[in-house]
Amino acid sequence: MRHLFRTRYQQDIALWRHNGDRFWYALLALIVLLAPAVLGEFYIGELGAVFIFAIAGVGLMLLVGYTGLISLGHAAFLGIGAYTNAVLLAQGVPFLVTLPIAGLFTALCGAAIGRPTLRMSGLYLAIATLAFGSIVGTVFQKWTAVTGGFDGFAVPTPYVFGMSIEGATGIYYVSLAVLVLVLLVAANLLRSPTGRALVAIRDSEVSAQSMGIHLARYKTLAFAISAGMTGLAGALFAHYVRYLAPDAFDVLLSVQFVTIVFVGGLGSLRGAVLGAMFVRLLPQFIAVVRDSLPFGIGRLPGLEPSLFGLTLVLVILFQPGGLNGMWLKTKQWFQAFPFKRQASFRRQKSYARSERLR
Amino acid sequence: MEDTARILQLVVNGAASGCIYGLIALGFVLIYKATEMVNFAQGDIMMLGGFVAFSLIAWFHLPYWIGALLAVIITAAFGYALDAIVLRRVIGQPQFAVVMLTLGLGFIFRAAAGITWGYDSVGFATPFTNKTVNIGGLVLGEDNVSIIVGTLLLCAVLYLFFSKTRIGVAMQAASQNQLAAYYMGIPVRTIFSLIWAISAGVACLAGILLSPVSMIDVNMGGLAIKAFAAAVIGGFGSIPGSLVGGVIVGIVEQFAGYKLPAGFQEVTSNVVLLLMLFIRPQGLFAERMGKRV
């Protein structure tokens, strides 16, 4: 078992805790970079989609896992990012400009929704984003001059430094680059005073406020960053699907994003990536086993949403740490072997906490 | 004259659908006041209640009144069990976890209803279907009138229950201060489960009242998003507020359907909700707030 002996305060906020971290992440980076040379087209495409969902997952993790707010309208932000990117590309703006603009514009939309809502308790954000998502969905359908309505919108092929980004491999590398960027931004944000302010708000709004943290400002900031990252994911998503349809960005997609965060494990960036893998792989898994399930369960129309619902319920009730928590427990078990104790992971008795202002 | 009659008609229709939104919102508010949870599955519980009533009346051929009463009781028992088995476990977990838990439960209910009753719309005969009453020259559908009258009756019953009966007062006490309620010997956990039962029963009643107007189907729980608008307008914590909010949303929606092009009626309630949050987020019936640390 490794024991860190801290001699400097810098070590507390270091990105890499020790050389082991550096080694394993470097190995992971190497594997991920070389994967297209080994795997087939289909798997690379799916991995690209996992990366895109992971980008949105990291954004939502900042909001849900670190700030303690919930959004049920992130599909709308994905859609805003996707349409902004696609429409600007169709106007002839280069991809390296449209991508950041898609992110920034989505972040602005997030701030516009968050600013008035976040003066109230976090529940209002959940309700407001639910309403916002449905309004945006209607706008995508009705504003045919820009979005093409139900006819769809063909996304032009992007060019980076004169090279066209086509096929699964191109999207894969671009998504990977953006994911790494987003992860670095999130990790650096979280070790800055701003990140600690967000965590303080999550743990107790009253004590955060009494430490001098401006609640509405920091919540709006977190929401805007989260929306912006989802907008970036949306821009890439547009290229992944190649053809935008307005009904792709519905509540179910928002619930999938939140499932990423919960299944991955609240309060861990690693969890966001793990959760994205789970959420992308579950439909594939269903497709594989669909025909071998008994009683025709596999052919029920509402199977996928209900499985997402079931997963959410089970994770919240029985495994609040999510996949990341399971990983940590396994690691702990091996490190402490053979001295695992029953009490190590027993959950503390919890009591009702009141956020009520009365 | 033609126009006045038309407008009155719209107002009554709006008030009727608004009462339904108000009843669902009432369910949110009851649970929120007591446990600080928001039940995102409320609309789906209404759907389940509607289907239970449908089975009792259309399959078992019970008379309408007995079937409706039984359905309300069954759904209320379901609500009690839901709290006692599932939601009591998440006490102390953050609020957003409960939001996602109830949302997940909603998806499961929808799938379970789809398996049990199928994905087609169903309806059953009620004493109010396709009848009209004539009030002072104004011709109204009896279904709409039954919704409004039913809601008013239910409100009177709930008001008497909360203010006059011992258990109703205990519920108020538990909502206001859990700890003090414990000290006074109130079984707070049972009380909370009972509140869930009442709110599920109210949702079931909403489903039954709605059934002559629109069919029962698996996705009717989507109405809940309009009920959120109602609850927010009412200030999320005020029972009369949620009903007034519901009626406002219903009437605005009717007029939007009358004046605006097709397709915009669906989002009116969402727009109203967002506008309300921008202009007066604490709602029309806000309580004075201050934090005691």
Side-chain angles (χ1 to χ4, degrees), chain B residues 240-254:
Chain B
S242 65
L243 282 170
V244 174
V247 172
I248 291 175
V249 172
I251 292 176
V252 168
E253 204 177 49
Q254 284 293 326

Side-chain angles (χ1 to χ4, degrees), chain A residues 75-84 133-150 245-250:
Chain A
F77 293 121
L78 192 84
I80 291 175
Y83 275 110
T84 312
S134 118
I135 293 176
V136 169
T138 313
V139 170
F140 287 158
Q141 288 170 21
K142 300 283 172 190
W143 199 12
T144 43
V146 174
T147 65
F150 274 111
D247 54 349
F249 308 102
D250 56 356

Side-chain angles (χ1 to χ4, degrees), chain A residues 64-65 67-72 112-113 116-117 119-132 134-135 138 142 202 206 251-252 254-255 258-259 262 266 300-303 305-318 320 347 350-358, chain B residues 31-38 40 85-87 89-105 107-108 111 114-115 119 175-178 225 228-229 231-232 235-236 262-264 266-267 269-271 273-274 277-279 281-283 287-293:
Chain A
V64 181
T67 320
L69 298 168
I70 196 140
S71 158
L72 298 174
I113 287 298
T117 318
R119 282 180 292 167
M120 307 298 291
S121 93
L123 280 174
Y124 279 75
L125 187 69
I127 297 169
T129 46
L130 195 64
F132 175 71
S134 118
I135 293 176
T138 313
K142 300 283 172 190
R202 174 191 70 186
V206 178
V251 182
L252 184 60
S254 297
V255 174
V258 186
T259 315
F262 274 87
L266 292 168
L300 290 173
L303 182 65
S306 58
L307 272 185
F308 276 112
L310 187 67
T311 317
L312 266 177
V313 171
L314 292 181
V315 166
I316 292 170
L317 285 181
F318 300 112
R347 265 189 270 162
S350 56
Y351 298 92
R353 282 194 306 179
S354 178
E355 286 291 331
R356 192 170 279 176
L357 297 160
R358 188 185 309 177
Chain B
I31 291 174
Y32 178 70
K33 269 177 88 96
T35 60
E36 289 185 47
M37 297 173 179
V38 172
F40 275 68
I85 296 170
V86 180
L87 284 143
R89 290 166 176 268
V90 291
I91 285 179
Q93 281 206 34
Q95 225 173 23
F96 57 84
V98 182
V99 170
M100 290 322 291
L101 180 68
T102 50
L103 207 64
L105 285 174
F107 280 111
I108 296 175
I115 291 169
Y119 286 87
S175 300
Q176 280 172 10
N177 192 332
Q178 287 180 24
I225 189 166
F228 278 128
V232 167
F236 231 109
F264 285 98
E266 283 303 302
V267 288
S269 59
N270 295 328
V271 175
L273 166 58
L274 283 188
L277 283 175
F278 288 174
I279 299 164
Q282 67 273 40
E287 293 171 17
R288 281 281 300 135
M289 300 237 196
K291 182 86 183 178
R292 190 180 54 216
V293 182

Side-chain angles (χ1 to χ4, degrees), chain B residues 1 4-13 130-145:
Chain B
M1 190 58 212
T4 342
R6 176 79 192 143
I7 284 171
L8 272 177
Q9 190 80 43
L10 284 176
V11 167
V12 174
N13 286 351
N130 296 330
K131 282 186 196 162
T132 54
V133 285
N134 197 327
I135 304 172
L138 193 67
V139 181
L140 301 171
E142 233 180 64
D143 40 12
N144 282 339
V145 177

Side-chain angles (χ1 to χ4, degrees), chain A residues 31 88 113 117 119 124 140 156 159 165-166 176 178 214 244 249 285-286 304 325 330 332 347 352:
Chain A
I31 292 172
L88 283 179
I113 287 298
T117 318
R119 282 180 292 167
Y124 279 75
F140 287 158
Y159 288 88
I165 300 173
E166 273 179 306
L176 180 62
V178 176
H214 193 298
L244 291 176
F249 308 102
F285 176 73
I286 295 172
E304 207 173 293
T330 321
Q332 179 87 20
R347 265 189 270 162

